[in-house]
Amino acid sequence: MESDQPLPGVDGPEKRRETRLEVLRPAIEALLFSSARPVSEKDLAEALDADGDAVALTLSELRKEADLRERGIQLEHVAGGWRYVTRPEFDSLLRKFHEVTERARLSLAALETLAIIAYRQPITLPEIQEIRGVNSASVLKTLFEKRLVTTAGRKPVVGTPFFYRTTSDFLVRFGLKELGELPRPEELAEDLAATVGEAPVEVPSELEAAAAREDEGGG
Amino acid sequence: MPTDDAAEHHLPDVALEAFSGPLDLLLHLIRVNELSITDIPISRITEQYAAYLDAMRELDLDVASEYVALAAELIYIKSRMLLPRAPGAPEEDPRHDLVLRLQEYERFKKTAEDFHEIDTLRAGLWPRPETPVPPSPDGETLEVSLFDLIEAFRLVTDRYRFAHPPALEIRHLRFSVSEKIRELVARLEEGGTLPLLEFLGTMRYRAEAVTAFLAALELVRLGLVRLFQPAAFGEIHVTRTDAPFSEEQVRETYRD
């Protein structure tokens, strides 16, 4: 946001960014209503040529408003963006109305594999199999097809296996703002620290940055 | 605490497919027996584990190789615990590595259960359905993800393969055993013995070398040559025997 300040010596009138709540509130609501995927604050600010802090403030107002007035939808902050979803208590109503009977569930094996990737990323298939003690190729394929994991380069060892990491769809599905928000049982946190200790410490933030890039680039 | 017998009678209660792997099965056995991961009675657990594998086979379930591998590991640990330690050998619990793996696996299993709970709860939140945003009139900007690209590439290659079925390829049989027999015999008539491996090494093609090798074997069968190797793993030499060579012999065996 600091870069928004005009540089000294640059000509032209200082551009006024929108800060008025009464202008931003309905506009942001419209933008979020029209988007299926979470929209980042940066994208909202750009779209409205608005001040970043004002956008953040408006979002928290919108969220409170949805919560207070007992509305059917709520505003959630996931995968580095914001989106409207229905409230959980209307699930059975909606399922009946839309005639949705069964939901695709992730198998225990898939959830195990996903948990390992989430906490140990970037990680290769042989490393996953080492932990699970069982062939995990088909499970990994399922997770890949469901777009919950993706490749992240190759490990420079014999056979150069693919590294895998979680995607922004993973963050959305599990309601996480970012990877750092993963619940950290003490032991798992230790593991994470041990893994990070080997690699450059910036690995998690790089992954988040990559996830963010995907948000911007992805459809 | 159940006795070994009672525990064994419990076996059929469990849906076998419900285990996501051998470590999962092992953890289950430890849990139903109310045992501590860090102090597993290996002998008892190995028996129960093996009994499960037998039950799986009886039900005609494929016992994946990983399950068998862990059974072997358990038996190995059991044997190491029975054997007296070599004098002066470091005091090390043979179960140590297995315990570490089990503990690590258990942590992820618990996390997977948490994930399952979150996933179930969040499945009840309905987002706005994905509706295609109308394309921009210039049609210049196109946002695709890695997945879209992979899918597109798959479609293209499928279509290409369908439109271009592989042509029927006919390869000439370039080398024949009878030809090589004649060549070998001619070489032997000239110079007494021939180093076979060196001779094969002069061939340009793999198929040619294989054919020549077959020719040598055929000549041995016909009693026309003798193979001998002066040193283990050394060169193999070929010499003619006294038996007379005739074209008919070759023609009888191989018609080209």
Side-chain angles (χ1 to χ4, degrees), chain A residues 33 36 76 83 85-86 88 91 103 112 119-120 131-133 135 144 147 150 172-175 187-188 191, chain B residues 20 22-23 66 104-105 107-108 111-112 115-116 118-120 122-128 143 146-148:
Chain A
F33 178 78
E76 67 171 12
R83 68 167 189 174
V85 289
T86 61
D91 183 37
R103 253 203 201 99
E112 261 176 41
Y119 280 93
R120 291 283 173 84
I131 295 172
R132 292 195 61 227
N135 188 313
F144 191 82
R147 302 182 176 201
T150 187
V172 171
R173 181 151 181 167
F174 290 90
E187 310 87 65
L188 286 170
D191 291 343
Chain B
S20 67
L23 293 175
E66 293 99 344
E104 182 179 48
Y105 173 73
R107 288 201 293 269
F108 282 116
T111 310
F115 273 20
H116 176 72
I118 297 170
D119 197 31
T120 310
R122 287 189 55 83
L125 311 179
W126 294 53
R128 299 257 310 133
E143 290 190 353
L146 173 64
F147 300 100
D148 299 326

Side-chain angles (χ1 to χ4, degrees), chain A residues 91-100, chain B residues 126:
Chain A
D91 183 37
S92 56
L93 171 75
L94 294 174
R95 276 210 294 205
K96 213 163 140 191
F97 182 74
H98 293 286
E99 292 170 10
V100 175
Chain B
W126 294 53

